[in-house]
Amino acid sequence: MDNSLPPAEELALVDRELAQLDARRSQLLARRAWLLRVLYAPVASTAPGPFPAAPGPRPPVADSTPRSAQNVLLTLGGTLLTIAAIAFTLVSWGSMGIGGRSVVLFVVTSAALAAPVALLRRSLVSTAEAVAALGLVLMVLDAYALHRVALPETDGLGYTAVAAAVLAGAWTAYGSALSRLRIPLPVAVVAGQLPLPLGVLAAGGGPTAFAWAALVTAAADGAVILWTRPAAVRITAAVGATALGGWTLLTGGWLSLTSPWSGAALLLAAAAPTLYAARRLPTLAVAASAVAGLAAVAAAGGLLRPAVPTDWTVPAYVLCGLALASVWLLSAATTGDGAAEEAGRRLPGGIRLGLAGAGAGVAALGVVWALPPVAAGLLGPMARTTEVWSGEHAGRALTSYPGTAVLVLAVAAAVLAAVPRLWARCGTLALVWALLTALPVSLGLPYAVTLALQLLTTAAALACAVRPGPLTGGLRRREPAEGPGTPGSAPPAAAAAPSAPGSPRGTWAPARPRPQAPATEPGTVLGWIAYAGGLASAVSAVTLALDVREATFAALGTLLVLLVGVAVLGAGARRVVAACAAVLTATGLVVAVAAAGGFEDHWTALALLLVPAATAAVGAKARPVALPVEITGAVVALPAFALAVSRPAFLALALAGGGVIAAATAVRPERRRFASWTAAVLFLLATWVRLAVWEVTTPEAYTLPVTVPALVVGLLRRRRDREASSWTAYGPGLAATLLPSLVAAWTDPEWARPLTLGVAALAVTLLGARFRLQALLVLGGSVLALDGLHELAPYVVQAVGALPRWLPPALAGLLLLAVGATYEQRLRDARRLRDRVARMR
């Protein structure tokens, strides 16, 4: 409010604001009255009023609404009445005469069923639901009481079946007449599940008859699902159809094994309504048609099973599954007369997918059944039970397994080969490899034929890995999606996006194509699958060939040629793996030759060094695979050194040979630094082993071979880098000799080693002072001081022993006084010395 206004204008402003407040208060009061009518009036009278939702803060929410409280009261009341009715029927029924019973039955049930009519007229829907539920329970109790008193001799199952049918019909009529009630119709559906199954049991029918009754009931449930609208009714019917239909299918599957014709008829009869439901309900088309397809395959396989030998049972089911999977071919391109298109309209895509998936699932289970011979053919040679080169062969595994397993693998591979898709081609390749691996086990082939077949499988797989092009023939390639740059297509934003500010009208900014991840080439995928199979077959062939000497050489030689071919002709990681595998195969050949020649271990160790020597020679030429091949060769040298441990002289020779190979690798143009360090270590180890063989115990003989090369390397390092620290360049080399010699000098009673060490330490100290090298000065001076202390110690002890006992404390006191008097000067001298030493390199 603006107090600066004149009084007349301010009065008019106040009157206007008061009028607006009165109008707002009237609007809020009217809204409050309407909300009260909505909350506390019956359900039917809660129609939207003319008042819009008023803005403002929401009222606090109560713990329970009037409607929820009403429902709780009605539920409790109906439950109590039901309990009372049950107690009356079970306890007090027998104390009344037939007339009283009839009157009670008629009056109470009629009242309970008639009351909802009046309640619905007054829009008391919840109350009507509660009373109607009580009436339905009373009808069940009346049926029980009628059997108990009037028809006690009647069979219980038969009477229950008839009573359930009567109640289902009565409740259906009652619920249809009072459509606003939600309870009667679902309860009628529940009651409708009982008449036929219970009637069959009452008539003495067996499992087959019961399954047929369940099937008819499930079909009726399906009709309810398709041709009724209330959701509660459809859900109840769906639960019943699922339970009874599942029981029917399980019974049909069991009968297909014990009574094929009965089981086939039941399964096909169950498949027909399931397939019809799949056609009428697109959301369930795939699942329902898959169930129908499995039932059809079980029926057909059950009919074929008695007509074929036992070994052919699984192939029969597989053929049935593949026949069903062929319905997917109806989705192929239309022929000239449109036959495929017409068939596609008659059989929707969801049904085709479900049927084809069911057939493919059966075929996949058949392939799984055929895998044990594959595992036995691949892993059987690895479970060795005989000596190497003994000429004896392990007993064959799975001798009683059906030989038709290979037929299943062959048929599955042929079917997948006809599908022009990458996943199918991968499956075909894997199945062909599995077939070749399982053939020796399934057909009981001789040893020589088995080994030859494994080597041929390895060769074929590795050839496919190197040149996978023929495997991709006929594959459908995915067409690239049209993008903004595709001719004939407009940018997707051109029709709706406004022009950029400042650009001429009608000119549109070009849309950038969305980057897509590069797809894996089919040849790459197929090549790796073939490569994995080839390597697995190679390992199995080598282990199998160990039974016979000649077979071992033949297998290793063949694999060496194949792997070298892959390393030369292949590309990428496959080439590297093949080169490393060739090195290991060559190692096996060397060991086989040594074993055949009767070599001792130390001679075998020297022979094994031929492998790293060959890898070093190959690495100089084959640059792409040089490093992996050299590393593999270096790994092979480790067991060579281990074999030579028993003969130290040969161990020294082997270490020196390894050092030569490493040094030859280090001096190549690519300059492998690790090889140079490896060569130095090997040469040093060879020297130490040789000195140990000669029984040399002088420590300098072991340390000087380390010191001299280390000092040479440090000198070269300092020439290239004048800023390099003397500790880095000369520290390790000097410490390698000076420190062990110092330890030896302290325990040496002779004078030659301490004198020589002192002279050497003095020379090192002088060189450090001359060239201002910190490492030489500190190491040389420390060793010189300790060596001199060691030499003077006996004389000092002798002199101290001859002096009076009061003299050492007196001398120590004088020394402390002198140091204390010149403390500041000594401190400055120490700091100056520290700075000078720190400035050294």
Side-chain angles (χ1 to χ4, degrees):
M1 184 179 297
D2 190 2
N3 294 328
S4 62
L5 293 176
E9 295 182 4
E10 185 177 352
L11 178 61
L13 179 61
V14 169
D15 290 339
R16 284 196 300 271
E17 291 183 356
L18 289 175
Q20 292 176 358
L21 290 175
D22 291 338
R24 181 59 177 165
R25 185 173 184 277
S26 301
Q27 183 182 6
L28 293 176
L29 289 175
R31 179 66 178 175
R32 181 177 182 276
W34 180 80
L35 291 174
L36 290 175
R37 288 199 305 272
V38 169
L39 291 175
Y40 296 103
V43 177
S45 62
T46 59
F51 301 101
R58 299 178 59 185
V61 179
D63 292 337
S64 62
T65 62
R67 177 64 55 81
S68 62
Q70 177 190 15
N71 292 336
V72 171
L73 294 176
L74 291 175
T75 302
L76 289 176
T79 302
L80 292 176
L81 289 176
T82 302
I83 294 173
I86 294 173
F88 173 77
T89 303
L90 297 178
V91 178
S92 303
W93 182 260
S95 61
M96 300 179 63
I98 187 64
R101 298 171 186 174
S102 302
V103 170
V104 170
L105 283 172
F106 179 76
V107 172
V108 176
T109 304
S110 300
L113 295 177
V117 179
L119 293 173
L120 289 175
R121 290 177 181 176
R122 300 184 60 184
S123 299
L124 300 175
V125 180
S126 299
T127 307
E129 293 278 5
V131 178
L134 175 62
L136 301 182
V137 175
L138 288 175
M139 292 181 71
V140 176
L141 296 176
D142 291 344
Y144 168 75
L146 180 62
H147 177 265
R148 180 78 179 274
V149 176
L151 303 170
E153 303 298 330
T154 306
D155 178 64
L157 286 177
Y159 179 80
T160 303
V162 174
V166 173
L167 290 175
W171 290 342
T172 301
Y174 185 72
S176 301
L178 302 178
S179 58
R180 297 176 64 184
L181 295 178
R182 294 175 296 178
I183 293 180
L185 289 179
V187 175
V189 174
V190 174
Q193 311 301 310
L194 303 178
L196 285 178
L198 293 182
V200 168
L201 292 179
T208 304
F210 183 84
W212 278 104
L215 176 59
V216 174
T217 306
D221 290 334
V224 172
I225 296 172
L226 294 176
W227 294 315
T228 57
R229 298 185 63 183
V233 176
R234 300 178 68 183
I235 293 174
T236 307
V239 174
T242 302
L244 294 177
W247 178 264
T248 301
L249 293 174
L250 291 177
T251 304
W254 173 70
L255 289 175
S256 69
L257 301 177
T258 59
S259 179
W261 287 101
S262 299
L266 183 61
L267 288 171
L268 292 177
T274 305
L275 198 59
Y276 179 76
R279 186 177 182 86
R280 291 292 304 273
L281 300 174
T283 56
L284 300 177
V286 177
S289 58
V291 173
L294 291 175
V297 171
L303 293 177
L304 291 176
R305 188 179 57 83
V308 299
T310 305
D311 291 353
W312 289 82
T313 300
V314 175
Y317 279 98
V318 170
L319 290 177
C320 294
L322 293 176
L324 181 63
S326 64
V327 299
W328 184 251
L329 298 178
L330 294 177
S331 63
T334 59
T335 59
D337 55 359
E341 184 178 2
E342 180 65 24
R345 285 198 296 266
R346 293 180 181 177
L347 203 61
I351 296 179
R352 291 200 307 272
L353 179 60
L355 294 177
V362 172
L365 290 177
V367 170
V368 173
W369 170 82
L371 289 182
V374 181
L378 180 65
L379 304 178
M382 300 179 187
R384 176 163 299 281
T385 58
T386 59
E387 295 293 333
V388 176
W389 292 357
S390 64
E392 300 178 358
H393 311 297
R396 292 194 175 274
L398 301 177
T399 54
S400 60
Y401 206 82
T404 53
V406 294
L407 178 62
V408 173
L409 295 174
V411 171
V415 172
L416 286 179
V419 180
R421 292 289 187 273
L422 177 59
W423 61 267
R425 196 60 54 85
C426 294
T428 302
L429 187 59
L431 288 175
V432 169
W433 173 84
L435 172 63
L436 295 176
T437 305
L439 274 177
V441 177
S442 297
L443 302 183
L445 299 179
Y447 173 81
V449 178
T450 300
L451 180 59
L453 183 58
Q454 286 190 343
L455 292 176
L456 287 176
T457 303
T458 302
L462 294 180
C464 293
V466 174
R467 294 292 182 266
L471 299 177
T472 62
L475 287 180
R476 292 184 182 178
R477 298 186 179 274
R478 183 175 299 175
E479 295 295 334
E482 289 189 355
T486 304
S489 62
S499 58
S503 62
R505 181 176 297 274
T507 302
W508 301 96
R512 293 184 178 179
R514 182 176 298 177
Q516 298 181 354
T520 305
E521 290 294 331
T524 302
V525 179
L526 294 171
W528 274 111
I529 293 176
Y531 196 56
L535 293 180
S537 296
V539 174
S540 181
V542 169
T543 54
L544 180 63
L546 293 177
D547 289 351
V548 181
R549 177 184 300 180
E550 293 77 7
T552 301
F553 284 103
L556 290 175
T558 303
L559 291 178
L560 181 60
V561 173
L562 292 175
L563 292 172
V564 170
V566 175
V568 173
L569 302 177
R574 291 195 290 271
R575 183 179 188 181
V576 175
V577 174
C580 296
V583 174
L584 297 178
T585 305
T587 304
L589 270 177
V590 172
V591 173
V593 170
F599 291 1
E600 296 183 9
D601 288 346
H602 53 278
W603 288 110
T604 303
L606 296 180
L608 278 177
L609 290 180
L610 296 175
V611 176
T615 58
V618 171
K621 302 295 183 181
R623 297 296 176 83
V625 296
L627 183 59
V629 165
E630 291 167 0
I631 292 176
T632 308
V635 172
V636 172
L638 297 179
F641 299 149
L643 289 174
V645 168
S646 60
R647 299 288 295 271
F650 280 88
L651 176 60
L653 183 59
L655 291 172
V660 172
I661 297 171
T665 304
V667 298
R668 292 210 306 259
E670 56 267 27
R671 298 283 185 183
R672 302 198 188 283
R673 180 175 300 179
F674 180 77
S676 62
W677 287 103
T678 304
V681 171
L682 291 175
F683 281 134
L684 179 62
L685 292 176
T687 303
W688 286 354
V689 172
R690 174 52 62 183
L691 290 174
V693 171
W694 289 339
E695 298 181 354
V696 175
T697 58
T698 303
E700 289 79 8
Y702 293 88
T703 57
L704 285 178
V706 180
T707 298
V708 174
L711 293 178
V712 172
V713 172
L715 180 61
L716 297 177
R717 170 74 181 277
R718 289 274 297 178
R719 285 185 177 181
R720 291 196 306 266
D721 183 11
R722 304 298 299 178
E723 299 296 326
S725 173
S726 61
W727 287 102
T728 303
Y730 306 119
L734 292 176
T737 293
L738 292 179
L739 297 182
S741 297
L742 178 63
V743 174
W746 273 71
T747 59
D748 191 353
E750 302 296 331
W751 58 271
R753 174 176 283 112
L755 177 60
T756 306
L757 177 62
V759 172
L762 177 61
V764 170
T765 305
L766 294 177
L767 288 174
R770 170 65 180 80
F771 296 102
R772 304 178 59 84
L773 297 176
Q774 187 180 105
L776 276 68
L777 182 63
V778 172
L779 283 175
S782 301
V783 172
L784 180 61
L786 292 174
D787 186 63
L789 179 62
H790 171 265
E791 294 302 312
L792 293 176
Y795 303 103
V796 172
V797 171
Q798 184 179 2
V800 170
L803 294 175
R805 294 189 176 182
W806 55 266
L807 186 58
L811 294 176
L814 291 175
L815 178 62
L816 291 177
L817 288 176
V819 171
T822 60
Y823 175 75
E824 294 294 336
Q825 181 63 34
R826 300 286 79 77
L827 185 60
R828 286 193 297 270
D829 295 341
R831 289 174 179 174
R832 190 178 300 111
L833 177 62
R834 183 197 63 185
D835 294 339
R836 289 180 179 177
V837 174
R839 285 195 295 269
M840 294 182 179
R841 286 290 178 186

